[in-house]
Amino acid sequence: MRTFPDIDVRTLPDKLNSAGILTDDGLERLSRFDDVTDENMLNLLVARGLVSEELLYKFLAGITGLPFKILDPLELDYQVVTELLPGAFAQKHHLVIFDDSDAGLKVATCNLQNTRYLEDLSHMLGRDIELYVGRPSEIGRVIRQFYGLHGSITAAVREMDSREMVDLGNLERYVSSETDQKVEPNDRPIVNAVNHLLQYAFEERASDIHLEPHRKGTVVRLRIDGVLHDIYKIPKKLHPPIISRIKMISGLNIAEKRRPQDGRIRTHFDGKPVEIRASSVPVAFGEKVVLRILDPAMLMQDLGMLGFRNDDLERYREAIWRPNGLVLVTGPTGSGKTTTLYSSLSMLATKEKNITTVEDPIEFVTDEFNQISVQPLVDLTFSNSLKYILRQDPDIIMVGEIRDSETARSAMRCALTGHLVLSTLHTNDSASAAIRLKDMGVEPYLLSTTLVAVVAQRLVRMICDKCAEDYVPSRSLRESLGLEEGVTLKRGVGCRSCRGTGYKGRTGVFEVLGMTESIRNAVMRNAPIDEIRRLAVGEGMVTLRDNTIAKVRAGITTPEEMFKVTLGAE
């Protein structure tokens, strides 16, 4: 085991000051604190804002001769972290085992003041230890997430019989002749496991949680910035009670395992409300559940923060401020259409306006509008709801999605009778919207009369501003993007902040087609999509691809993201 001297915290402030990490003013402020002790010195330096945590522990790594380690929970192995080191010992001494190889164990710690515990650790494990310095916040987060979830899962496994249970949702049914004692969804270990899973997802900024049953267990995955990451594998026997717990708190029917179901959970994180949409579907090895996390702060933003170009934003605002007509937001699933609609309604919501939405299901419950949830079992469909809404004296109507000809015609009639209607449609670009509606059976004259604007959108990952660097693109890349020679672009090289991906966060790219007289005439005479697109571009529309290229030139995103999200769109 590699050894190092204990840190003498009494001389540390002067060393930090000499290195330029702690300012003279900070050193003087520290001397005035009455609550400084050898034990809390490091915490106080960070907590009082005198030194950044990362700079402090990198400095400590330098003076001890130890390497500095960035701990990313998504890159760690649960078994390596939790199986070798008891959680109580890890928490007491602030330790995380992050690698296990024949050469020994790699351990990260922020406890550098009294290192005698390292001898205990080496004797306890009977292994050589290579020590690294880590940040307390990262070590604490890993211990909390990993030992919390793993401990709950382990406790639940101990409560179950080792034999497989009969799971009628599994197409490969394992039947035991013995009586199995099942774990109920309200048992504390199961409750804790689900709570820890949600907490983990919130802390990692996940937008979705996937629980996918496989032959030998359930894989838990998180979608972060549009990319899925495997984070844990739940034993097969725990799949039914965990799914039952999720269904219970989502308001779903626990006994129903053969039909898809939708529900919702309302909870809090960091004192802020969080809405979670739950969806369950039967698959080959049981029920798959996906939890979609909806942050109100992200769902209802200022329109100017979504990523619109200034000209496109003005064109869109002009469309939604009209007293009547139909405005469509198009794009594939997960392209941010709901955020655009909710942000639009939030801007339009005033005391003078009566706003009603019809959704399947309601994405986010808010007091700002009247929201109706589609319920086909009682014949409350999109089209039927629109008939009743008209008797409620609405000013603005939002239809969650136009899926069929009946809903399309009903939305058109609402727009024709003096109401502003906002809705979504699944098409690749804005010019395709009119053709799609005509395919649904909507008459061209109705389209040309009621349709005001169509917005097509996508989401692109943004370059991490902490590790962005300039580079000169290749000749072929310049030519494909239409860039001049000598131009430089940006890309993320990967850092702790972005988990080595080079991206952090997402923004929208938009294509706003306004229904001008020439485009209305083209729709009336059934002009092809290419002609409608050419007319729109000639009248000032900037395409999805060109808007994304502009974001590439501005250093917001990369050519790789541009090619990925605009594939199939002009």
Side-chain angles (χ1 to χ4, degrees):
M1 181 184 70
R2 186 176 181 180
T3 60
F4 65 98
D6 292 343
I7 295 293
D8 183 0
V9 296
R10 288 170 295 182
T11 63
L12 184 60
D14 290 330
K15 292 179 180 178
L16 291 168
N17 181 252
S18 299
I21 297 174
L22 179 63
T23 64
D24 292 338
D25 178 62
L27 187 63
E28 198 272 331
R29 287 173 55 197
L30 182 65
S31 67
R32 296 202 304 265
F33 294 153
D34 296 329
D35 54 348
V36 179
T37 65
D38 289 352
E39 290 73 23
N40 69 8
M41 170 76 77
L42 297 179
N43 291 336
L44 277 177
L45 285 169
V46 175
R48 302 288 171 86
L50 303 180
V51 178
S52 79
E53 185 186 62
E54 185 165 356
L55 282 178
L56 173 60
Y57 282 86
K58 281 184 175 179
F59 179 78
L60 295 178
I63 64 176
T64 56
L66 294 169
F68 182 76
K69 176 62 181 176
I70 295 172
L71 293 174
D72 182 356
L74 300 181
E75 295 178 351
L76 301 180
D77 187 316
Y78 259 92
Q79 291 183 330
V80 170
V81 173
T82 59
E83 290 187 357
L84 295 174
L85 194 61
F89 191 90
Q91 189 167 24
K92 178 180 178 181
H93 298 291
H94 309 286
L95 296 169
V96 170
I97 297 177
F98 63 89
D99 189 40
D100 181 6
S101 64
D102 294 337
L105 300 174
K106 294 183 178 180
V107 179
T109 185
C110 59
N111 185 2
L112 304 173
Q113 295 172 250
N114 185 353
T115 60
R116 286 176 293 179
Y117 65 91
L118 293 171
E119 296 180 10
D120 298 336
L121 180 63
S122 181
H123 291 311
M124 181 174 66
L125 300 178
R127 304 285 297 279
D128 290 332
I129 294 174
E130 185 177 354
L131 205 62
Y132 290 72
V133 176
R135 297 169 61 197
S137 59
E138 291 182 345
I139 290 173
R141 183 174 67 172
V142 169
I143 291 174
R144 182 175 63 254
Q145 291 177 349
F146 281 47
Y147 285 98
L149 179 57
H150 183 75
S152 300
I153 295 295
T154 302
V157 170
R158 283 198 298 264
E159 290 195 10
M160 298 187 66
D161 190 86
S162 60
R163 288 178 280 271
E164 295 286 351
M165 297 190 306
V166 179
D167 182 4
L168 297 180
N170 190 336
L171 296 185
E172 293 188 341
R173 300 181 185 178
Y174 293 92
V175 181
S176 171
S177 59
E178 302 289 338
T179 300
D180 292 311
Q181 183 177 0
K182 298 182 180 180
V183 173
E184 297 299 324
N186 275 330
D187 285 353
R188 179 49 56 183
I190 295 298
V191 172
N192 287 341
V194 174
N195 290 345
H196 280 298
L197 179 60
L198 293 177
Q199 185 78 9
Y200 191 134
F202 296 155
E203 290 183 352
E204 296 301 319
R205 302 182 300 106
S207 60
D208 302 270
I209 307 171
H210 292 241
L211 292 95
E212 303 176 353
H214 295 175
R215 180 176 281 109
K216 295 183 179 180
T218 297
V219 175
V220 180
R221 304 205 285 170
L222 299 183
R223 187 180 296 279
I224 302 171
D225 290 339
V227 179
L228 279 171
H229 303 266
D230 289 3
I231 65 162
Y232 198 77
K233 190 167 185 179
I234 296 174
K236 183 179 179 61
K237 64 184 71 177
L238 286 188
H239 181 78
I242 285 180
I243 296 303
S244 294
R245 174 61 185 172
I246 292 173
K247 291 169 72 175
M248 176 182 292
I249 62 178
S250 305
L252 304 182
N253 184 352
I254 295 177
E256 180 58 75
K257 299 183 179 182
R258 299 168 299 172
R259 294 180 180 177
Q261 297 187 71
D262 290 309
R264 67 189 321 108
I265 305 168
R266 187 174 178 85
T267 184
H268 287 79
F269 175 64
D270 277 351
K272 300 176 182 178
V274 177
E275 290 268 352
I276 302 174
R277 276 184 51 187
S279 171
S280 71
V281 295
V283 295
F285 299 106
E287 286 183 279
K288 176 188 175 184
V289 168
V290 174
L291 302 175
R292 184 182 179 194
I293 301 169
L294 302 171
D295 182 352
M298 297 298 295
L299 196 61
M300 302 173 72
Q301 302 182 52
D302 184 281
L303 286 177
M305 303 300 292
L306 297 183
F308 280 99
R309 290 173 60 255
N310 290 336
D311 290 347
D312 288 340
L313 180 58
E314 288 305 311
R315 188 176 299 179
Y316 179 65
R317 279 178 170 159
E318 182 181 341
I320 62 175
W321 276 115
R322 290 172 59 103
N324 57 68
L326 174 65
V327 178
L328 293 175
V329 181
T330 73
T333 301
S335 59
K337 300 188 299 295
T338 300
T339 298
T340 300
L341 284 184
Y342 268 75
S343 299
S344 302
L345 291 179
S346 181
M347 185 191 75
L348 295 171
T350 63
K351 293 180 180 180
E352 296 79 21
K353 299 288 185 182
N354 175 12
I355 300 177
T356 304
T357 73
V358 189
E359 304 171 66
D360 183 22
I362 295 174
E363 295 278 358
F364 176 72
V365 179
T366 176
D367 293 334
E368 293 190 53
F369 351 115
N370 306 291
Q371 297 170 283
I372 299 172
S373 179
V374 169
Q375 300 181 54
L377 292 179
V378 293
D379 200 30
L380 189 63
T381 62
F382 277 115
S383 55
N384 281 345
S385 298
L386 290 174
K387 296 177 185 176
Y388 299 118
I389 287 173
L390 290 180
R391 301 171 187 169
Q392 295 279 312
D393 186 30
D395 296 296
I396 301 170
I397 301 170
M398 192 270 273
V399 182
E401 183 182 347
I402 294 179
R403 300 175 180 172
D404 51 52
S405 58
E406 189 176 2
T407 304
R409 286 196 178 95
S410 298
M412 293 286 182
R413 292 191 190 101
C414 290
L416 198 60
T417 53
H419 305 88
L420 177 67
V421 181
L422 283 72
S423 188
T424 68
L425 194 67
H426 285 283
T427 62
N428 277 336
D429 57 21
S430 56
S432 304
I435 306 301
R436 175 80 177 107
L437 289 172
K438 284 193 286 187
D439 289 343
M440 288 183 177
V442 177
E443 295 80 1
Y445 78 88
L446 201 55
L447 267 176
S448 63
T449 305
T450 59
L451 194 58
V452 173
V454 183
V455 178
Q457 71 176 86
R458 300 288 192 278
L459 291 176
V460 295
R461 290 187 292 172
M462 295 189 294
I463 298 169
C464 174
D465 58 3
K466 299 289 179 57
C467 62
E469 68 169 12
D470 293 331
Y471 74 100
V472 178
S474 64
R475 179 180 177 182
S476 60
L477 181 58
R478 287 201 321 271
E479 291 175 351
S480 63
L481 297 179
L483 304 177
E484 60 274 11
E485 188 174 354
V487 70
T488 60
L489 302 179
K490 287 188 180 294
R491 63 187 172 195
V493 296
C495 65
R496 176 186 56 80
S497 180
C498 63
R499 300 188 181 90
T501 63
Y503 299 98
K504 189 172 183 181
R506 292 190 291 177
T507 188
V509 287
F510 299 87
E511 174 182 282
V512 182
L513 183 151
M515 292 295 289
T516 61
E517 191 64 31
S518 60
I519 294 176
R520 293 183 193 280
N521 292 334
V523 170
M524 278 290 291
R525 55 185 173 80
N526 293 318
I529 294 176
D530 289 343
E531 183 179 341
I532 295 175
R533 185 181 296 116
R534 283 196 301 271
L535 285 171
V537 170
E539 295 182 358
M541 183 185 81
V542 180
T543 65
L544 274 172
R545 188 179 183 90
D546 288 341
N547 264 323
T548 315
I549 290 175
K551 280 184 163 52
V552 171
R553 296 184 69 118
I556 297 172
T557 190
T558 63
E560 291 77 15
E561 280 292 289
M562 187 278 293
F563 289 124
K564 182 175 72 174
V565 303
T566 61
L567 186 65
E570 294 295 329

